[in-house]
Amino acid sequence: MSTLALSRPTASRALLAAFGLAAAVDLISLLAGADLGHQVAKPLLMPLLAAYAVSLGAPRLLTAALLLGWGGDVLLLSDADWAFLVGMGSFAAGHVCYLVLFGRRRTSPALGALYAAALAGTVTLLWPDLPADLRVPVAGYSLLLAAMAYRSSALGLAAGLGGALFLLSDTLIATGIAEWPQLPAPDFWVMLTYIAAQYLLTAGALRAMYGERRTTV
């Protein structure tokens, strides 16, 4: 076996460990109210996860989805209205990449009906409490996100759970914008579900593309 072949699993493990460390720093910082830790750790998450995926031969669409998520992460560190809208657009482009990646694999019609009902109910409830200039963008983004979450199940349980958690994470953000009552440390729950979502989507996509042996390091 070549030195290069031996080095790839080592590099993958190191990148996954670095991603886990950045995630831990980010989440602990949010719980501790240490804004600097969050500002430093959050922008590292998706590049590290993307590098891990690339080390395992990730398809370009998966890498693009993760890097577009990174763009959204960085933009949402700002409180400016324009940054929120552009960040949402970056995430939306990432969801399109995921949808193309999922292809035409079959998914459950019953699950689709469940997501459609959840989308309709959530948008209907949130609509009156959202700022007027965000209602249409949030509704359009929510439709795309729900479609991605539903279609993610085509790649198996891990990816399907990742899609569901992504939907949950962004729903928590939307309830904050609507000024609904929040859980304690709301940013912690947003990031916890988001980090888990992106990891599970990545792991599920890699497993579906290459199988268990290729994606276990």
Side-chain angles (χ1 to χ4, degrees), residues 15 73 94 159 173 190 198:
L15 288 165
D73 288 344
I173 293 175
V190 168
Q198 291 281 40

PDB file of all heavy atoms in Angstrom, residues 15 73 94 159 173 190 198:
ATOM      1  N   LEU A  15      -9.035  16.067   9.891  1.00  0.00           N
ATOM      2  CA  LEU A  15      -9.987  17.103   9.504  1.00  0.00           C
ATOM      3  C   LEU A  15     -11.312  16.947  10.242  1.00  0.00           C
ATOM      4  O   LEU A  15     -11.915  17.945  10.670  1.00  0.00           O
ATOM      5  CB  LEU A  15     -10.218  17.051   7.990  1.00  0.00           C
ATOM      6  CG  LEU A  15      -9.041  17.540   7.140  1.00  0.00           C
ATOM      7  CD1 LEU A  15      -9.225  17.108   5.691  1.00  0.00           C
ATOM      8  CD2 LEU A  15      -8.899  19.053   7.233  1.00  0.00           C
ATOM      9  N   ASP A  73     -22.989  31.388   6.817  1.00  0.00           N
ATOM     10  CA  ASP A  73     -22.531  31.487   8.206  1.00  0.00           C
ATOM     11  C   ASP A  73     -21.811  32.809   8.460  1.00  0.00           C
ATOM     12  O   ASP A  73     -22.067  33.493   9.462  1.00  0.00           O
ATOM     13  CB  ASP A  73     -21.562  30.340   8.525  1.00  0.00           C
ATOM     14  CG  ASP A  73     -22.247  28.997   8.633  1.00  0.00           C
ATOM     15  OD1 ASP A  73     -23.486  28.965   8.761  1.00  0.00           O
ATOM     16  OD2 ASP A  73     -21.540  27.978   8.594  1.00  0.00           O
ATOM     17  N   GLY A  94     -27.076  26.794  -1.677  1.00  0.00           N
ATOM     18  CA  GLY A  94     -26.598  25.511  -1.158  1.00  0.00           C
ATOM     19  C   GLY A  94     -27.676  24.444  -1.199  1.00  0.00           C
ATOM     20  O   GLY A  94     -27.400  23.276  -1.521  1.00  0.00           O
ATOM     21  N   ALA A 159     -28.860  11.151   6.091  1.00  0.00           N
ATOM     22  CA  ALA A 159     -29.101  12.364   5.321  1.00  0.00           C
ATOM     23  C   ALA A 159     -30.504  12.904   5.575  1.00  0.00           C
ATOM     24  O   ALA A 159     -30.704  14.122   5.681  1.00  0.00           O
ATOM     25  CB  ALA A 159     -28.894  12.100   3.839  1.00  0.00           C
ATOM     26  N   ILE A 173     -34.500  30.021  13.844  1.00  0.00           N
ATOM     27  CA  ILE A 173     -34.080  31.375  13.469  1.00  0.00           C
ATOM     28  C   ILE A 173     -35.313  32.215  13.119  1.00  0.00           C
ATOM     29  O   ILE A 173     -35.437  33.379  13.548  1.00  0.00           O
ATOM     30  CB  ILE A 173     -33.109  31.339  12.274  1.00  0.00           C
ATOM     31  CG1 ILE A 173     -31.792  30.672  12.688  1.00  0.00           C
ATOM     32  CG2 ILE A 173     -32.847  32.753  11.758  1.00  0.00           C
ATOM     33  CD1 ILE A 173     -30.815  30.484  11.538  1.00  0.00           C
ATOM     34  N   VAL A 190     -29.831  26.726  17.783  1.00  0.00           N
ATOM     35  CA  VAL A 190     -29.738  26.944  16.336  1.00  0.00           C
ATOM     36  C   VAL A 190     -28.467  26.311  15.786  1.00  0.00           C
ATOM     37  O   VAL A 190     -28.492  25.582  14.786  1.00  0.00           O
ATOM     38  CB  VAL A 190     -29.774  28.451  16.003  1.00  0.00           C
ATOM     39  CG1 VAL A 190     -29.371  28.700  14.546  1.00  0.00           C
ATOM     40  CG2 VAL A 190     -31.162  29.021  16.275  1.00  0.00           C
ATOM     41  N   GLN A 198     -25.589  19.599   8.920  1.00  0.00           N
ATOM     42  CA  GLN A 198     -24.595  19.595   7.846  1.00  0.00           C
ATOM     43  C   GLN A 198     -23.701  18.351   7.914  1.00  0.00           C
ATOM     44  O   GLN A 198     -23.340  17.786   6.871  1.00  0.00           O
ATOM     45  CB  GLN A 198     -23.744  20.869   7.920  1.00  0.00           C
ATOM     46  CG  GLN A 198     -24.485  22.151   7.561  1.00  0.00           C
ATOM     47  CD  GLN A 198     -24.643  22.346   6.058  1.00  0.00           C
ATOM     48  OE1 GLN A 198     -24.910  21.408   5.318  1.00  0.00           O
ATOM     49  NE2 GLN A 198     -24.479  23.583   5.611  1.00  0.00           N
TER      50      GLN A 198
END
